[in-house]
Amino acid sequence: MKRSLVMCAAFLFICAFILHPSFAESAQQELPKKLFVTPPPFSEGIFPCSQCHAGMPVNRTPRKLEMMHQNIILKHMPGGWCFDCHNPDNRDTLRLANGKIIKFEESYNLCGQCHGTILREWKNGLHGKRTGYWNGEKQYYLCVSCHWPHDPPFKPIKPLPPPVSPSDIK
Amino acid sequence: MLKGAALGFAGLALPLDRANASFWEAFFQKHFREMNDAEIKKVISRLEKEYAEKYKKAITIGNEKPLPGVLYGYGLDLSRCIGCRRCVYGCVEENNQSLDPQIHWITVLRFKKGEKWVDLENAEKYYNPETVPQEDYFYMPVQCQQCENPPCVRACPTQATWKDPDGIVVIDYNWCIGCRYCMAACPYGARRFNWAAPTRPSEKINPNTHYLGNRPRYKGVVEKCTFCIQRTRHDPGRYPACVEACPVGARKFGNLLDPDSEMRYLIKHKRVFRLKEDLNTNPKFYYFFAYGN
């Protein structure tokens, strides 16, 4: 399928096109000056997590959760578990593999540990989405606003109505 | 060419019932690019008054000039687009398109993967499954490609459509005589004609408009995408509505002359192509596959 896509991109009314080299010279900018992100898309009432977890014992055993968070069934990172991402000592934060603690507003750096290329493309506005000003302040959508971290493929949605076809016009 | 002469040439009768001052002012209006700022201001306040009467609300008409050092470019990632049409309706709302007769500036085409891409005209645009994306299909939204070398502009007998220095191909709805030569000339089917008076309830009119963009149109004129000129031609300028409406982030926009823009980043790092490259229209609308090839 991949190949056929490539094939048809080569075919048809379109020609593959590589830009004039003068376009491609400039040094690649790695990090925009300042990053504004959309707020973490928590379900209502779930944050702060410490409202329940402060003082609650930590259970590190991988298991099916039955008392709470029943909707979370990990389908990501085979063999992984909650504390590969969440911080057992303070549930209001996330924890990177190197032990660094980060806020939920910075969850893109968590994802970036394993999806480095995508993180770079996201920072450069290629993967994901930005809103705001094309020549000014932008808001970056967090990875988790499109990918539920526990089962990350983008979920299908209902399309909006097709255009009225000429035959439908009275 | 004089608009009056062109009107006569097209065989249109003068609507005598509209023989009021405003009508004659409109009739003798100069070409937009020949007017000075004061003359444009006068035209705009006349139109704002007409709109206020018609829609019973204040509609502002901007006349922002192209920004120096800016050439707008658009990118569309076909490997992400899921064909959901959020862009189509985001555009309709922002740009005051007619609801009945229905006008859409964006058409989303659906192709079966692996099949030869058929010509734009015969592609499926009425697909309507429960959910998208569907297995085995991919989707290609098409709108005005903002050609560097636009055949529509050459076809226009009254110069009612032209390309501004920032690359946006614009239309003066008060100069368009509705001959539709531009539509025949456009290889992308991107122009739309108002066969009947456009309708849109007053409360659904976006009052922030540009003279050459989303201000309400008339029966008998042609319209199309302007990269949301009323949003983008500002410093700082907002992203086009379709960019913000896209749930998968397939739509990219920026300044082709700015080496730090996302457009330049994607042109440098992905293999981009443009529709009907062989026609030398040189569009500033770049399609690409971010992954999968």
Side-chain angles (χ1 to χ4, degrees):
Chain A
M1 178 211 89
K2 216 161 111 180
R3 223 206 350 199
S4 53
L5 258 184
V6 181
M7 290 274 287
C8 57
F11 262 2
L12 43 219
F13 54 92
I14 299 157
C15 326
F17 173 75
I18 299 157
L19 259 195
H20 194 266
S22 69
F23 248 109
E25 267 156 26
S26 69
Q28 147 187 354
Q29 188 207 28
E30 276 300 327
L31 248 174
K33 296 107 221 147
K34 193 151 182 233
L35 218 72
F36 297 92
V37 296
T38 52
F42 286 121
S43 335
E44 198 151 328
I46 196 97
F47 197 84
C49 319
S50 52
Q51 64 189 287
C52 298
H53 281 281
M56 218 175 97
V58 179
N59 185 342
R60 292 169 197 274
T61 326
R63 64 197 192 280
K64 191 165 182 297
L65 300 183
E66 268 153 5
M67 281 144 65
M68 185 63 199
H69 313 313
Q70 295 88 341
N71 59 329
I72 297 179
I73 293 156
L74 279 190
K75 291 189 193 148
H76 188 190
M77 313 163 15
W81 183 240
C82 316
F83 300 120
D84 293 334
C85 301
H86 291 283
N87 177 7
D89 305 323
N90 175 2
R91 225 50 76 90
D92 294 343
T93 57
L94 296 165
R95 195 181 61 181
L96 304 186
N98 64 9
K100 191 178 169 210
I101 311 293
I102 60 167
K103 291 193 190 166
F104 279 96
E105 284 75 13
E106 208 193 306
S107 58
Y108 51 88
N109 281 329
L110 174 79
C111 316
Q113 300 176 109
C114 305
H115 304 293
T117 314
I118 297 234
L119 175 65
R120 191 172 67 240
E121 295 190 336
W122 178 82
K123 284 183 176 167
N124 283 292
L126 186 50
H127 190 90
K129 172 173 171 174
R130 320 201 267 197
T131 56
Y133 296 87
W134 62 266
N135 54 350
E137 196 176 301
K138 300 164 176 56
Q139 277 206 313
Y140 290 61
Y141 278 61
L142 289 174
C143 318
V144 292
S145 49
C146 297
H147 303 292
W148 173 235
H150 314 107
D151 181 11
F154 192 91
K155 302 296 174 288
I157 56 175
K158 192 169 170 40
L160 293 181
V164 293
S165 109
S167 60
D168 293 344
I169 297 170
K170 294 136 264 171
Chain B
M1 194 196 290
L2 253 180
K3 189 172 130 197
L7 265 175
F9 178 72
L12 289 180
L14 290 178
L16 288 173
D17 56 320
R18 285 189 60 202
N20 52 35
S22 175
F23 172 77
W24 289 110
E25 265 178 57
F27 187 75
F28 287 115
Q29 181 178 320
K30 275 204 265 180
H31 189 275
F32 189 76
R33 285 193 292 178
E34 285 164 6
M35 282 190 275
N36 62 31
D37 285 348
E39 288 169 321
I40 291 178
K41 225 178 123 196
K42 215 173 131 211
V43 167
I44 283 181
S45 51
R46 185 189 80 231
L47 292 173
E48 283 178 344
K49 224 175 96 213
E50 285 177 14
Y51 288 151
E53 264 165 41
K54 175 153 188 217
Y55 295 101
K56 309 281 177 256
K57 75 187 228 188
I59 293 174
T60 57
I61 306 173
N63 172 36
E64 287 72 20
K65 306 260 168 28
L67 299 171
V70 173
L71 188 66
Y72 294 110
Y74 205 106
L76 209 154
D77 184 350
L78 294 178
S79 65
R80 304 273 179 234
C81 177
I82 57 173
C84 70
R85 299 198 186 94
R86 300 292 185 277
C87 53
V88 174
Y89 291 91
C91 173
V92 165
E93 297 311 314
E94 168 68 28
N95 289 295
N96 293 324
Q97 266 120 275
S98 170
L99 301 181
D100 182 20
Q102 186 186 60
I103 287 194
H104 288 173
W105 289 355
I106 304 175
T107 307
V108 186
L109 307 179
R110 187 185 74 176
F111 297 98
K112 206 165 172 72
K113 286 178 182 167
E115 257 176 28
K116 213 174 103 162
W117 295 8
V118 290
D119 51 327
L120 300 179
E121 290 73 24
N122 293 320
E124 171 64 271
K125 56 183 178 196
Y126 303 113
Y127 64 87
N128 195 21
E130 264 313 298
T131 59
V132 286
Q134 300 155 277
E135 255 255 21
D136 299 329
Y137 290 98
F138 71 97
Y139 305 86
M140 185 168 76
V142 179
Q143 61 209 74
C144 174
Q145 307 281 304
Q146 313 293 354
C147 304
E148 199 46 38
N149 184 17
C152 52
V153 166
R154 261 177 284 133
C156 178
T158 62
Q159 289 162 35
T161 184
W162 66 90
K163 186 187 61 161
D164 264 343
D166 57 6
I168 304 181
V169 175
V170 294
I171 302 171
D172 182 346
Y173 313 117
N174 285 62
W175 268 79
C176 174
I177 57 166
C179 70
R180 295 182 288 122
Y181 289 180
C182 58
M183 295 177 72
C186 174
Y188 309 104
R191 288 177 167 251
R192 301 285 179 269
F193 185 61
N194 287 279
W195 287 100
T199 62
R200 172 162 274 273
S202 177
E203 67 275 11
K204 285 192 152 190
I205 294 274
N206 171 6
N208 305 313
T209 77
H210 190 285
Y211 182 90
L212 300 169
N214 60 338
R215 68 182 169 101
R217 274 80 70 192
Y218 315 103
K219 177 178 175 178
V221 305
V222 170
E223 57 180 83
K224 64 164 193 69
C225 159
T226 64
F227 279 173
C228 276
I229 193 167
Q230 68 280 359
R231 294 164 66 102
T232 53
R233 201 182 258 184
H234 288 271
D235 192 9
R238 294 168 69 198
Y239 280 112
C242 49
V243 169
E244 299 209 335
C246 178
V248 294
R251 290 173 166 269
K252 310 295 167 191
F253 183 79
N255 181 4
L256 292 170
L257 304 181
D258 172 4
D260 293 337
S261 70
E262 57 226 65
M263 280 310 295
R264 287 285 287 276
Y265 184 86
L266 88 84
I267 286 168
K268 183 174 168 191
H269 291 89
K270 302 288 163 184
R271 225 161 68 109
V272 297
F273 65 86
R274 292 168 300 164
L275 293 184
K276 306 196 184 188
E277 190 74 37
D278 49 321
L279 300 180
N280 284 317
T281 49
N282 202 357
K284 284 180 292 302
F285 203 101
Y286 296 84
Y287 291 92
F288 65 104
F289 290 88
Y291 76 113
N293 78 344

